[in-house]
Amino acid sequence: MGGQYPVAMDKVVMDKAAGDKPRWASLLRNGRIRTSAFAQPVEALLAVDGHVRCCGSDGDVAGEARALARNGCKLEEIDLDGGWAVPGLRDGHGHLELLARSYAVLDLRDCRGPGDLVERVAALAEGTPPGTWIRGRGWGGEGWETASEHGAVRELDHHDLSRRVPQHPVLLTRIDEHAALANRAALLSAGLDPDSPGQDPGTFAPDGRVQVDGVGRPTGILLDGALARVAALIPPESRAQRARNLRRARAELLALGLVGVHDMAVGAAQLELLEELCDEEDWALAVSVWLWGPETSEREYLAEVRARFDGPVPGQSGRSPRGNEGPGDGGTSQASPLALGGLKIFLDGALGSRGAALLEPYADAPDETGLLLHTPEELLRRLRLGLEAGLAPALHAIGDRANRMALDAYETLMSDDLWRGSASRRPAAPMRIEHAQVLAAEDLARFRRLGITAGVQPAFALSDAPWLAQRLGAERLAGAYAWSQLATDPGTLCLGSDFPVEEPAPLRTLGAARSWAAPGARALTPEEALEAHSLGVARAAGHASRRGRLKPGHDADISVFDGDPLGPLDELGQLSATHTVVRGRLVYRAVAHSTPD
Ligand SMILES: [Zn+2]
């Protein structure tokens, strides 16, 4: 995989395509800048109107910058503080709105026991208007004072919580999501009186249980269906709350050194809010969306969204486009950071809950092979509908049976006129399979042969490692998380985190990609991992011609860390992002340094 990408160390490489009179420029210096994962570092880089103009020695690049300034170009200098700059890292698979929603839920995963639990909720309640629901999630896990699952539920009741937090309804879900603790206010709002004895635990929700004490009073512990009934009483977040939390998600991602994300399952209501937020002047984070939801099986909806971004599909009428993310006019008015990526379809579930569709039964559940969510015919129908609207598909496939179904469908489509016929309507993004976690040996090579892009999340391999062998059996492990075998070139592999399932931290993703190897395979090299996290993700959205490397003419999207992301694996965990530059603009700088002017 991969090869050396030549770079000039000592001479300035110019953007020959640069035409019109430049208006503003950024000079990055005092750092080490890799223009690709395979390039030796250079000293300085000049971006003009958001695009890389040249890079090379400090003297040469600074001289070019001064010449531009003399001609009336506004020049900004970005001091890299000795940091290491690389082509902007992008998360190839995440969920912005789920990340935003997680901020509204109290994280109780490291909670030590009942007392700690109550104090944390009380602290949050202090700053929250009375009557507002408080949600929490994750208690009862590792480190909880009572180790046993039943013990942890039995020793808890609502009394302490209700005393300390009387004015807010509270619902706190256990780590397994099958049990929750509610306080008095929450119980009362569900019509459950914690003071009245003689209640029947099963009548509130037939598919669940309200735990009661010796005289039949609800203890506050709710199981399954009963939990769901109470959760359904919580009012949905307002649009203003959603927007506020999405802006916070944007800031968190930029601060981790990410310049863009692929938002992997975006419904109509989510898209509408994203369109508004991405039009805000300081949004900056590039977002490519893959449409998802019941509306995506409607031809009209797909054509309408496509027309909103790119103008009407040939042969159909539509309103004038909002303007897709593009290179922009090269001036002060930046193009929208929002782009239409394609269409997302789920084919199976996850390995953890044994929902992933396998060819042979689970090793630890001989009667189960998981679940396929579509028939092959229905899948092809949905894929063709997408292609008619010019939308490239991304199929969620985790088990080997789901992956085979995805590959079969793609192979059929490739001989289809919809894909081969009209180049004007053919999507810029490649056909993708998301996760590609478990593959039969004969299917591994089909990714390379067919040119299918695998969107993989290396951190899953580390998180799933404790139970993976037990669930799959030794034989299937050879085709599990086998990233190095899914692509002939790391630039065709798309790395992501699936945030908020895993942390959106790119250094963790890089570290996982470099440390995990399927039996009989090898881990990715540092260069391959970096290439797949930058160029690979840009390419998977159809943007490889202008993103993913810091070549003259490309978008000046740059991630800067306080150490070399190609450095030793055991040092990656100590590095952090210091600067994030999107289209030549400094959009994040670590607080330890002075703020940009
Ligand atoms: Zn996902």
Side-chain angles (χ1 to χ4, degrees):
M1 252 162 70
Q4 288 298 308
Y5 178 69
V7 68
M9 278 281 298
D10 52 357
K11 83 178 191 339
V12 174
V13 186
M14 295 291 292
D15 174 13
K16 294 280 194 303
D20 302 330
K21 193 171 159 52
R23 282 176 262 184
W24 60 275
S26 345
L27 171 63
L28 281 72
R29 64 200 304 194
N30 187 27
R32 279 152 287 192
I33 303 167
R34 293 189 192 276
T35 56
S36 94
F38 297 96
Q40 291 302 314
V42 295
E43 291 173 350
L45 182 146
L46 181 65
V48 175
D49 295 332
H51 307 288
V52 177
R53 169 64 66 92
C54 61
C55 62
S57 73
D58 188 78
D60 288 348
V61 176
E64 174 67 16
R66 279 192 300 272
L68 283 174
R70 278 196 299 275
N71 277 323
C73 179
K74 187 178 177 302
L75 181 66
E76 183 196 4
E77 199 172 304
I78 299 175
D79 184 345
L80 298 180
D81 304 317
W84 289 78
V86 294
L89 299 181
R90 301 165 190 280
D91 196 313
H93 186 127
H95 303 276
L96 277 178
E97 187 121 5
L98 292 181
L99 179 62
R101 217 178 284 164
S102 72
Y103 300 139
V105 177
L106 189 58
D107 185 354
L108 298 169
R109 280 174 301 179
D110 59 348
C111 203
R112 295 182 306 276
D116 187 23
L117 186 84
V118 169
E119 287 317 308
R120 287 186 194 207
V121 179
L124 178 63
E126 227 161 89
T128 307
T132 309
W133 278 83
I134 291 178
R135 290 213 68 172
R137 177 172 289 150
W139 61 268
E142 226 176 297
W144 186 258
E145 285 159 10
T146 310
S148 109
E149 189 169 323
H150 298 297
V153 173
R154 219 179 289 132
E155 76 173 15
L156 260 190
D157 63 37
H158 76 93
H159 292 287
D160 284 346
L161 184 63
S162 297
R163 247 191 314 276
R164 289 284 278 125
V165 188
Q167 292 183 305
H168 304 74
V170 178
L171 186 68
L172 310 172
T173 318
R174 194 179 179 278
I175 192 143
D176 61 6
E177 304 278 337
H178 289 283
L181 173 67
N183 71 345
R184 178 189 306 274
L187 292 168
L188 287 174
S189 70
L192 293 165
D193 184 353
D195 300 319
S196 100
Q199 295 188 35
D200 179 349
T203 49
F204 179 66
D207 55 344
R209 229 179 129 78
V210 175
Q211 195 179 76
V212 293
D213 64 13
V215 293
R217 291 176 305 190
T219 64
I221 294 292
L222 307 166
L223 303 177
D224 293 307
L227 185 175
R229 284 278 298 275
V230 176
L233 298 173
I234 302 173
E237 283 177 287
S238 69
R239 191 180 163 88
Q241 281 171 312
R242 285 169 61 213
R244 200 166 42 241
N245 287 333
L246 276 165
R247 287 191 199 98
R248 182 173 154 190
R250 161 209 169 268
E252 181 188 341
L253 296 169
L254 290 173
L256 286 165
L258 290 167
V259 300
V261 297
H262 292 181
D263 201 348
M264 260 305 150
V266 176
Q270 282 169 271
L271 180 61
E272 194 214 331
L273 183 54
L274 267 181
E275 285 182 75
E276 194 181 301
L277 291 173
C278 286
D279 282 343
E280 290 177 359
E281 206 187 332
D282 63 349
W283 178 269
L285 182 76
V287 181
S288 290
V289 296
W290 271 257
L291 306 178
W292 165 81
E295 58 270 22
T296 58
S297 56
E298 293 164 22
R299 180 176 278 114
E300 298 71 28
Y301 173 75
L302 299 178
E304 196 263 321
V305 173
R306 177 70 202 262
R308 237 149 74 198
F309 280 82
D310 293 334
V313 174
Q316 293 181 32
S317 61
R319 71 184 197 203
S320 59
R322 73 184 298 281
N324 201 353
E325 174 204 49
D329 62 3
T332 47
S333 67
Q334 292 274 311
S336 168
L338 189 66
L340 188 54
L343 181 65
K344 170 82 179 285
I345 299 173
F346 286 82
L347 294 193
D348 66 348
L351 273 181
S353 51
R354 297 195 191 85
L358 297 179
L359 292 164
E360 301 294 332
Y362 281 87
D364 57 358
D367 296 330
E368 288 183 44
T369 54
L371 194 66
L372 278 176
L373 304 176
H374 297 281
T375 63
E377 296 73 28
E378 169 66 5
L379 175 60
L380 275 173
R381 193 189 69 78
R382 296 277 308 274
L383 290 172
R384 290 199 170 104
L385 215 52
L387 286 181
E388 279 175 32
L391 294 168
L395 297 176
H396 165 116
I398 289 186
D400 49 13
R401 188 154 56 106
N403 274 281
R404 179 163 296 172
M405 182 181 181
L407 290 163
D408 287 349
Y410 282 167
E411 199 155 9
T412 305
L413 276 187
M414 282 177 175
S415 58
D416 199 311
D417 283 347
L418 267 176
W419 184 258
R420 285 184 317 155
S422 154
S424 66
R425 212 194 278 180
R426 186 161 155 176
M431 294 186 187
R432 298 171 56 159
I433 294 180
E434 298 306 297
H435 310 306
Q437 270 175 20
V438 185
L439 282 152
E442 58 267 45
D443 288 331
L444 275 172
R446 292 174 78 195
F447 276 81
R448 299 194 296 267
R449 182 165 59 76
L450 299 172
I452 304 300
T453 296
V456 300
Q457 300 75 37
F460 280 156
L462 305 187
S463 301
D464 299 352
W467 46 259
L468 194 62
Q470 196 186 356
R471 191 137 303 175
L472 291 178
E475 213 174 294
R476 271 187 296 220
L477 276 185
Y481 312 88
W483 314 307
S484 63
Q485 299 178 52
L486 293 173
T488 43
D489 183 298
T492 65
L493 199 58
C494 173
L495 292 199
S497 67
D498 207 359
F499 67 79
V501 182
E502 297 282 343
E503 285 169 62
L507 292 167
R508 175 169 150 84
T509 301
L510 290 174
R514 288 166 57 177
S515 55
W516 168 271
R522 62 174 182 83
L524 297 189
T525 67
E527 290 81 4
E528 287 169 351
L530 186 62
E531 177 95 324
H533 213 337
S534 47
L535 180 65
V537 184
R539 188 189 152 279
H543 297 153
S545 63
R546 58 191 173 86
R547 288 179 169 178
R549 284 186 169 161
L550 298 174
K551 292 204 288 197
H554 280 213
D555 290 357
D557 295 341
I558 300 162
S559 308
V560 187
F561 299 94
D562 55 3
D564 187 1
L566 294 182
L569 184 58
D570 56 1
E571 288 171 19
L572 270 191
Q574 286 119 57
L575 303 190
S576 58
T578 57
H579 308 64
T580 305
V581 174
V582 176
R583 292 192 187 177
R585 305 245 186 231
L586 184 62
V587 293
Y588 167 76
R589 188 168 194 180
V591 277
H593 305 276
S594 59
T595 47
D597 47 37

